[in-house]
């Protein structure tokens, strides 16, 4: 009744006219309520009058022109932003907000004023649009979608300066190189690898030139050690021979030594006799084998052998038309102990483990054994039956007449593919404490080795150890990591510059520019989380100190803009961070060494001739089909726009971890955000607080200091921290709101730092959940009550007093779990109080974060650990349903001020419905989800026992109450049959159509089971234009459960890849659903 009277009073009173409010005598409750309303109104009007009109205020969002309504008589105005609070002040309103409601409230404000019902002075709106500075001073607003996951952008890659060289054709005086020794140690002591030396013209940073890493083979681990070993001079002859080693080994193992074909227009030629350019000045270095580590000595004997082999192949008649000539040393065919190779003959006991080059294919092998029962006359054992013998095979396919068909063939080891050895693909690797899910990429340890049987006379002996060949297979993965460190070092040099007191580990920089898509054991996500908190803290401190007259709302608006993703995106683009981000997994088949012919070229088709892609909308897209994870030969690749914002935060986090706040501030300044944290501003803030009169409250302050275990040097700071806005007019016109703004960022950083250091082995997603569970108003309000801090809050509001009293009773009887706290909304003032005290301590200690943490570590409730982490109920329900292939539908309706949320979950045998009610949609949905999870657990279905088969679980009894509407319903009512206008057969489309049908009908997701078949002979698959041959085919079985109807199982048609076989099965299922009357296809 009082509320209605006040509303009428507000409508009829005019400026300067008297008004009388009558209430019941002796009704203290009504009297207090009227006083609360008057005080609130007075406080609001007072704040409006004191509002700073600095035109530099930064808005939380960027709009070109703000809609407003101006009262000509008074000069006052109301905007779309402020209209909602104005209407709520004078009229009952819904708690939700949106742009449409803003505009609606604006129109309502206009109408009420024109009718004479709204005569209050609306807040003045004399501020000009904010002028951006530092992080704000971009000339144009960020384009739509900047910094979001939806937008993809084409960007280039920064060339690595350290691998460039000028010695390509400069051979007269030789070159001075910086040398870096590479040694390998295998976990299997019986396996040996040769050491190598990396020769560069550039000097690497110490932490790049000296590091260790592990490479993962099928059943063993190889430890790699890289160390700097000074300068080394090579003369012109040595450089030429080094090039021969590169060209022979890297092309013979990873590429090819012959180009063209006798079946094509290009005649077959030896690669090293062509004009093909194999060396590029932007990518020049040597990887040469070492004869010994101590003393450091390059194996020139093996390198000289490469030059000799190349000359031999060049002079050889093959693949020319003439019959291959035979060396005179090979004419002795009478001895069975002699093996005749193309360039010389050796005793058969010396053949094993020799390194050889096939003269007809240009591939490098190692000799495994000499089988005694196989010669060129033996039957050919290949897949094609058209060759009667090995001799016949070489005659027909290569036009080679063997000179010694009667000598024993050699069994050779072959493996001409580089592998990604950075990740343990056997499932034992760890990524942030979790097993890497690489089942689809697991290495088959039972797979038989592939051997080739060749006649020795087609093999050229290379005088190199087999250990050298084995090490060559390790080099692509090693060099990829080393080049990544060089790139990180290049970025570090740009950020740090000539500053000598900042030393950030290169591994931190590399982590900050590496995304999850790289499939490394590290990524930027953890540092991004920490950097987000550091940025928020630094910007908050700077704004608080720089603008002492601005209120909490204005400071929050500025902060929101300065740390939002679109702003960080612009900063990252301005610093060219996009060209440093590593977002592509290592593809060893595309790795090339200097002097090697690329085997999988990817010409650029983006229409950009330069390495750097222009920042233009032409190279932006929101097409979800834009392909990630691959770059063209120019280094252009698609990046998510948000990835650039994330990298900005991750770099700040890296500098904070490596060098503390000082280093982080240096990085922030380099990015373009002004956060000086001027000490003079800190002194000024302390002096202003010292002017507060605290003597009347001295006993209160001392009691609170005793609770905190900290004595304030400036009591005025503590007094300000405990003064609620409702009582600020009775004091000095201040409240805790500004300190709460500061304390919010302080606690966010301190708790995030604690979690980051304490839980170094958990994945970034779980770390984010831990922070969300620890840094929130509910948690802080709970801590304030548990530590009895609420008793010191200074306020003048009966409503707030009632809310606090009710919450104190709730805390006294509730448990400390997350879900329990979410069922009761705490008074925001309690969480604000907890934060404002932290801000006061920070200022009193002159920004000593460690001292604030010493105090607050004891005040905070036990910080959630991964073992005790409880996800919000609705999220837990969604994640569970996603893992099981179920769909959850939510519906909402209102009953007065109460929001009722209804969740529906369709199981195979029943439909579960749960309801929850609260003042907000989020809380109501959480209550409904909590009830649904409880119901699932009663049925024996929960995240804790996901291994169970729900089909074999007995259905629990139905329960239902008035307040908890949980029921099971059979789908007996007729549902509208879904209609597909057409059936798209493109890859992925059939599955998408089937998923949409399942989602609409709330059927569990279909289950696919694939089967792989291999054949020695090509198999024809597909029909019409899609008809093709393949050696490996996939077939998939699909199973779809239609609740209370049937389980439909079908087998799809054979396809060349697994996903296409899924599509085939999905197409058949869609047509089968049409037969059953469950779907219409037009």
């Amino acid at each position: 009744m009082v509320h209605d009277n006040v509303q009428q009073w507000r409508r009829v009173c005019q400026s300067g006219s008297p008004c009388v409010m009558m209430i019941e005598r002796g009704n203290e409750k009504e009297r207090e309520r009227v006083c609360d309303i008057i005080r609130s109104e007075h406080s609001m009007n007072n704040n409006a009058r004191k509002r700073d009109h600095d035109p530099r205020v930064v808005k939380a969002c960027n709009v070109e022109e703000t809609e407003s309504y101006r009262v000509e008589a008074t000069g006052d105005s109301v905007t779309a932003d402020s209209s909602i609070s104005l209407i709520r002040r004078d009229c009952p309103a819904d708690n939700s907000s949106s742009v449409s409601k803003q505009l609606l409230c604006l129109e309502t404000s206009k109408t009420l004023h024109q009718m004479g019902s709204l005569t209050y002075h609306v807040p003045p709106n004399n501020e000009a649009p904010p002028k951006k500075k530092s992080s704000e001073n971009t000339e144009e607003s960020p384009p739509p979608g900047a910094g979001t996951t939806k937008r993809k952008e084409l960007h280039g890659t920064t060339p690595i300066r350290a691998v460039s060289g000028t010695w390509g054709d400069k051979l007269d005086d030789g070159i001075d190189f910086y040398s870096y020794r590479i040694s390998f140690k295998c976990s299997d002591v019986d396996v040996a690898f040769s050491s190598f030396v990396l020769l560069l013209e550039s000097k690497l940073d110490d932490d790049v030139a000296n590091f260790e890493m592990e490479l993962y083979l099928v059943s063993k681990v190889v430890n790699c050690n890289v160390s700097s070993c000074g300068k080394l001079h090579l003369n012109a002859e040595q450089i030429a021979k080094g090039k021969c080693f590169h060209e022979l080994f890297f092309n013979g193992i990873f590429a090819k030594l012959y180009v063209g074909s006798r079946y094509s227009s290009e005649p077959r030629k030896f690669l090293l006799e062509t004009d093909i350019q194999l060396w590029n000045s932007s990518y020049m270095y040597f990887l040469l084998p070492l004869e010994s580590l101590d003393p450091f000595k390059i194996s020139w004997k093996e390198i000289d052998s490469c030059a000799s082999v190349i000359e031999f192949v060049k002079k050889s008649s093959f693949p020319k038309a003439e019959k291959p000539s035979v060396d005179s040393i090979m004419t002795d065919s009478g001895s069975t102990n002699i093996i005749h190779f193309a360039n010389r003959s050796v005793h058969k006991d010396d053949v094993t483990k020799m390194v050889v080059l096939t003269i007809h294919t240009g591939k490098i092998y190692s000799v495994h054994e000499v089988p005694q029962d196989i010669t060129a006359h033996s039957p050919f054992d290949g897949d094609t039956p058209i060759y009667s013998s090995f001799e016949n095979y070489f005659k027909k396919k290569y036009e080679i007449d063997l000179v010694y068909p009667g000598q024993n063939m050699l069994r050779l080891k072959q493996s001409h593919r580089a592998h990604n050895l950075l990740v343990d693909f056997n499932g034992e690797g760890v990524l942030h404490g979790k097993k890497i899910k690489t089942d689809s990429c697991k290495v088959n340890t039972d797979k038989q080795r592939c051997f080739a049987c060749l006649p020795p006379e087609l093999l050229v002996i290379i005088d190199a150890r087999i250990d050298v060949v084995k090490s060559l297979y390790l080099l692509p993965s090693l060099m990829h990591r080393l080049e990544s460190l060089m790139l990180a070092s290049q970025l570090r040099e740009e950020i740090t510059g000539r500053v000598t007191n900042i030393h950030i580990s290169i591994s931190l920089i590399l982590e900050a520019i590496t995304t999850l898509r790289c499939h490394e054991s590290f990524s930027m996500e953890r540092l991004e989380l920490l950097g987000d908190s550091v940025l928020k803290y630094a910007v908050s401190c700077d704004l608080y100190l720089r603008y002492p007259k601005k209120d909490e709302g204005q400071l929050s608006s500025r902060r929101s803009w300065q740390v939002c993703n679109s702003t960080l995106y612009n900063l990252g683009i301005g610093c060219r961070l996009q060209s440093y981000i590593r977002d592509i997994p290592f593809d060893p088949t595309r790795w090339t060494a200097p002097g090697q012919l690329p085997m999988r070229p990817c010409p650029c088709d983006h229409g950009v001739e330069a390495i750097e892609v222009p920042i233009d909308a032409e190279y932006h897209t929101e097409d979800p089909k834009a392909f990630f994870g691959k770059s063209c030969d120019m280094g252009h690749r698609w990046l998510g726009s948000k990835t650039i914002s994330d990298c900005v935060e991750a770099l700040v986090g890296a500098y904070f971890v490596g060098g503390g706040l000082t280093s982080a501030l240096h990085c922030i300044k380099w990015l373009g955000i002004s956060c000086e944290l001027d000490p003079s501003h800190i002194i000024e803030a302390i002096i202003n607080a010292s002017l507060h009169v605290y003597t009347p409250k001295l006993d209160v302050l001392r009691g609170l200091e005793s609770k905190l275990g900290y004595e304030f040097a400036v009591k005025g700071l503590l007094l300000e921290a405990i003064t609620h806005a409702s009582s600020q007019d009775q004091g000095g016109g201040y409240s805790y709101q500004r300190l709460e703004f500061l304390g919010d960022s302080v606690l966010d950083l301190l708790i995030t730092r604690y979690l980051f250091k304490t839980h170094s082995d958990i994945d970034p997603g779980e770390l984010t959940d831990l922070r969300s569970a620890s840094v929130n108003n509910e948690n802080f309000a709970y801590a304030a009550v548990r530590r009895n801090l609420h008793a010191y809050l200074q306020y003048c509001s009966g409503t707030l007093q009632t809310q606090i009293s009710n919450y104190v009773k709730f805390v006294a009887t509730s448990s400390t779990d997350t879900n329990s706290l979410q069922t009761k909304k705490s008074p925001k003032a309690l969480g604000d109080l907890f934060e404002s005290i932290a801000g006061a301590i920070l200022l009193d200690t002159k920004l000593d974060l460690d001292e604030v943490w010493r105090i607050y570590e004891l005040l905070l409730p036990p910080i959630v650990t991964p073992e005790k982490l409880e996800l919000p109920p609705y999220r837990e329900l969604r994640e569970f349903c996603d893992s099981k292939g179920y769909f959850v539908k939510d519906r909402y309706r209102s009953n007065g001020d109460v929001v009722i949320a209804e969740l529906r979950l369709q199981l195979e045998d029943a439909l579960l419905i749960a309801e929850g009610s609260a003042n907000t949609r989020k809380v109501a949905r959480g209550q409904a989800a909590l009830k649904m999870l409880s119901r699932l657990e009663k049925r024996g279905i929960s995240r804790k026992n996901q291994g169970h088969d729900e089909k074999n679980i007995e259905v629990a009894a139905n329960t239902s109450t008035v307040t908890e509407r949980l029921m099971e319903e059979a789908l007996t009512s007729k549902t509208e049959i879904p209609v597909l206008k057409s059936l798209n057969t493109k890859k992925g489309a059939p599955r998408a159509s089937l998923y949409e049908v399942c989602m609409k009908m709330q059927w569990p997701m279909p289950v696919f089971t694939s089967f792989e078949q291999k054949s020695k002979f090509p198999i024809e698959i597909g029909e019409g234009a899609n008809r093709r041959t393949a050696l490996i085919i996939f077939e998939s079985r699909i199973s779809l459960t239609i609740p209370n109807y049937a389980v439909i199982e079908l087998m799809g048609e054979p396809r060349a890849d697994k996903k296409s076989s899924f599509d085939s099965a999905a197409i058949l299922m869609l047509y089968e659903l049409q037969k059953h009357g469950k779907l219409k296809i037009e």
Side-chain angles (χ1 to χ4, degrees), residues 39-40 43-44 46-48 50-51 540-541 543-545 547-557 559 692 716-729 733-746 777 793-795 800 828-840 843:
R39 276 194 295 265
S40 298
S43 175
M44 228 167 22
N46 189 43
N47 286 340
K50 292 180 178 179
R51 194 166 155 202
S540 298
C541 287
L543 293 175
Y544 181 93
L545 297 171
Y547 303 110
K549 300 297 184 181
K550 292 193 180 296
D551 60 36
E552 181 269 342
Q554 294 169 321
L555 296 177
S556 295
S557 178
R559 181 176 68 186
H692 300 336
L717 282 171
L718 183 56
L719 179 60
E720 183 178 336
I722 63 175
T723 302
H724 187 260
S726 62
S727 65
Q728 66 177 353
D729 297 327
Y734 52 81
S735 70
Y736 62 52
Q737 291 177 339
R738 278 176 52 85
L739 286 174
E740 176 240 322
F741 165 82
L742 185 61
D744 166 57
S745 64
V746 174
N777 198 72
L793 179 62
Q794 306 297 300
Y795 60 92
L800 180 57
K828 184 178 182 296
L830 295 180
D832 294 346
L833 171 68
F834 197 74
E835 293 173 334
S836 63
I837 294 175
L843 285 179

Side-chain angles (χ1 to χ4, degrees), residues 434 437 763 766 769 819 866 869-886 905 929 932-948 950 953:
K434 285 194 173 183
K437 297 180 180 179
D763 70 280
E766 195 169 4
D769 292 336
N819 288 338
L869 176 65
E870 294 186 24
L871 297 178
Y874 184 67
R875 179 179 166 191
E876 182 177 355
L877 179 64
R878 290 301 298 263
E879 290 189 0
F880 166 74
C881 292
D882 289 344
S883 69
K884 291 298 182 182
Y886 297 137
L905 172 58
M932 184 70 79
L933 290 168
S934 176
R935 184 59 172 164
L936 287 170
E937 193 166 355
K938 289 178 182 178
R939 295 174 60 88
I941 309 172
S942 69
R943 289 173 62 86
K944 296 177 182 178
N945 56 6
Q946 285 189 33
H948 295 319
E950 288 83 355
I953 295 175

Side-chain angles (χ1 to χ4, degrees), residues 133-394:
K133 48 192 296 186
S134 300
S135 62
E136 311 150 66
N137 60 1
T138 53
E139 293 183 1
E140 298 181 0
S141 301
T148 63
T149 55
K150 188 176 181 181
R151 191 168 89 179
K152 286 88 175 175
E153 304 173 357
L154 188 69
H155 291 295
T157 306
T158 295
I160 303 173
R161 295 192 294 265
V163 296
S164 62
T166 59
W167 47 272
D169 300 319
K170 181 182 176 182
L171 300 176
D172 296 339
D173 302 326
I175 296 292
D176 289 326
F177 292 97
Y178 289 95
S179 59
Y180 304 94
R181 181 175 53 204
I182 303 172
S183 60
F184 304 101
K185 184 177 181 181
C186 185
S187 58
D188 186 344
V189 294
D190 295 328
V191 179
F193 293 93
S194 173
S195 298
F196 269 72
V197 62
L198 169 66
L199 300 179
L200 294 168
E201 264 191 291
S202 302
K203 183 178 181 180
L204 302 179
D205 289 343
D206 288 342
D207 51 357
V208 179
N210 302 276
F211 75 97
E212 289 188 9
M213 63 175 295
E214 289 185 340
L215 299 178
Y216 300 94
L217 303 181
V218 174
S219 58
K220 40 190 169 284
V221 178
V222 179
N223 180 270
C224 310
N225 182 282
V226 179
S227 58
S228 175
C229 45
K231 279 193 171 184
L232 181 66
H233 180 82
L234 296 187
N235 58 38
E237 182 182 2
Q238 290 172 325
I239 291 176
K241 290 181 178 179
K243 283 188 171 183
C244 289
F245 175 85
H246 264 245
E247 293 166 353
L248 179 68
F249 266 104
F250 286 109
N251 285 295
I253 292 179
F254 302 125
K256 57 185 179 182
L257 281 168
Y258 287 101
V259 293
S261 169
R262 60 192 180 100
Y263 302 107
S264 66
S265 58
E266 292 292 331
R268 194 164 187 264
K269 292 183 179 179
F270 185 49
L271 174 66
L272 305 185
E273 287 185 306
T274 66
D275 296 330
I276 298 175
Q277 182 61 253
L278 299 176
W279 296 82
N280 189 326
S281 61
S282 64
Y283 192 65
M284 295 192 71
Y285 59 80
F286 274 143
L287 284 167
L288 302 178
L290 292 179
E291 184 178 333
S292 63
L293 282 173
D294 191 14
F296 177 82
K297 186 177 181 181
I298 295 177
S299 182
W300 287 111
K301 179 181 178 182
E302 292 172 304
I303 297 172
D304 290 345
S305 175
C306 294
S308 301
V309 168
I310 290 173
E311 288 302 313
F312 178 84
V313 175
K314 287 180 178 179
K315 295 177 181 178
S316 173
S317 57
F318 184 83
K320 298 172 185 175
E322 312 92 51
K323 186 175 179 178
S325 61
V326 181
D327 196 291
S328 60
I329 196 173
M330 300 169 60
T331 56
D332 181 13
S333 60
S335 175
T336 58
N337 293 327
I338 300 299
I339 303 295
H340 302 291
F341 288 87
N343 55 342
R344 65 175 184 265
S345 301
V346 297
H347 194 275
K348 68 176 183 178
D349 293 339
D350 300 328
V351 168
T352 304
K353 295 186 177 182
M354 290 187 76
V355 179
V356 294
L357 170 71
T358 56
I359 199 171
H360 63 298
T361 62
K363 292 294 183 182
I364 293 178
Y365 296 86
S366 61
V367 180
H368 179 63
E369 63 179 356
V370 183
Q372 298 300 316
D373 54 347
I374 302 179
T375 66
H377 297 307
S378 301
F380 186 72
D381 61 357
D383 293 336
T384 308
I386 62 174
Y387 305 117
S388 59
S389 63
F390 285 97
E391 183 180 20
N392 179 252
Y393 167 77
F394 288 106

Side-chain angles (χ1 to χ4, degrees), residues 3 6-8 10-11 41 44 84-92 112 117-120:
H3 184 70
V6 171
Q7 292 295 333
Q8 293 299 326
R10 286 177 170 172
R11 287 182 175 87
E41 179 193 358
M44 228 167 22
I84 290 181
S85 60
L86 185 64
I87 293 302
R88 284 180 179 168
R89 188 186 72 182
D90 288 275
C91 305
L112 288 173
S117 298
L118 180 62
T119 57
Y120 278 88

Side-chain angles (χ1 to χ4, degrees), residues 592-660:
T592 57
Q596 178 187 332
L597 183 71
M599 282 304 296
R600 293 182 60 188
C602 184
C604 180
D605 58 358
H606 302 114
V608 182
E609 297 181 359
I611 294 178
E612 189 170 344
V613 180
I615 307 301
D616 191 276
E618 180 183 353
Y619 306 107
H620 298 165
T621 182
E622 292 186 359
D623 184 0
K625 296 181 180 179
F627 186 72
F628 284 118
K630 186 177 181 179
S631 66
C632 68
D633 292 339
M634 291 286 291
H636 305 149
R637 69 267 165 82
W638 289 100
L639 275 179
S641 183
K642 185 176 181 295
T643 303
I644 300 171
S645 324
D646 294 343
C647 184
V648 169
E649 294 175 328
L651 277 173
V652 174
Y655 271 76
F656 182 77
V657 173

Side-chain angles (χ1 to χ4, degrees), residues 166 168 245 319 332 456 535 604 640 701 703 776 852 862 888 910 927 981 1055:
T166 59
F245 175 85
D332 181 13
L535 264 175
C604 180
L701 299 181
N776 58 72
V852 179
V888 179
Q927 289 182 353
K981 293 185 177 180
R1055 291 291 184 266

Side-chain angles (χ1 to χ4, degrees), residues 616-766:
D616 191 276
E618 180 183 353
Y619 306 107
H620 298 165
T621 182
E622 292 186 359
D623 184 0
K625 296 181 180 179
F627 186 72
F628 284 118
K630 186 177 181 179
S631 66
C632 68
D633 292 339
M634 291 286 291
H636 305 149
R637 69 267 165 82
W638 289 100
L639 275 179
S641 183
K642 185 176 181 295
T643 303
I644 300 171
S645 324
D646 294 343
C647 184
V648 169
E649 294 175 328
L651 277 173
V652 174
Y655 271 76
F656 182 77
V657 173
L661 186 61
T662 301
S663 297
L665 290 174
H666 174 85
C667 179
I668 291 172
K669 185 176 180 181
W670 176 80
L671 288 165
I673 303 177
S674 177
C675 290
E676 299 294 339
L677 304 189
D678 191 339
S680 64
H681 290 163
I682 301 174
I683 300 299
E684 181 182 348
I686 293 175
I687 292 175
N688 290 337
S690 67
L691 300 177
H692 300 336
V693 178
Y694 61 85
T695 306
K697 303 287 186 180
L698 189 57
D699 292 341
V700 175
L701 299 181
R702 286 175 177 171
L704 181 52
E705 286 178 332
S706 177
K707 288 281 185 184
L708 298 174
Y710 174 79
E711 183 176 352
F712 276 78
V714 181
K715 306 292 185 186
L717 282 171
L718 183 56
L719 179 60
E720 183 178 336
I722 63 175
T723 302
H724 187 260
S726 62
S727 65
Q728 66 177 353
D729 297 327
Q730 298 181 3
Y734 52 81
S735 70
Y736 62 52
Q737 291 177 339
R738 278 176 52 85
L739 286 174
E740 176 240 322
F741 165 82
L742 185 61
D744 166 57
S745 64
V746 174
L747 293 180
D748 187 3
L749 173 57
L750 291 175
I751 294 176
T752 303
R753 183 182 69 173
Y754 169 81
L755 293 172
F756 184 90
K757 292 181 177 179
T758 305
H759 305 291
S760 59
D761 58 343
I762 64 174
D763 70 280
E766 195 169 4

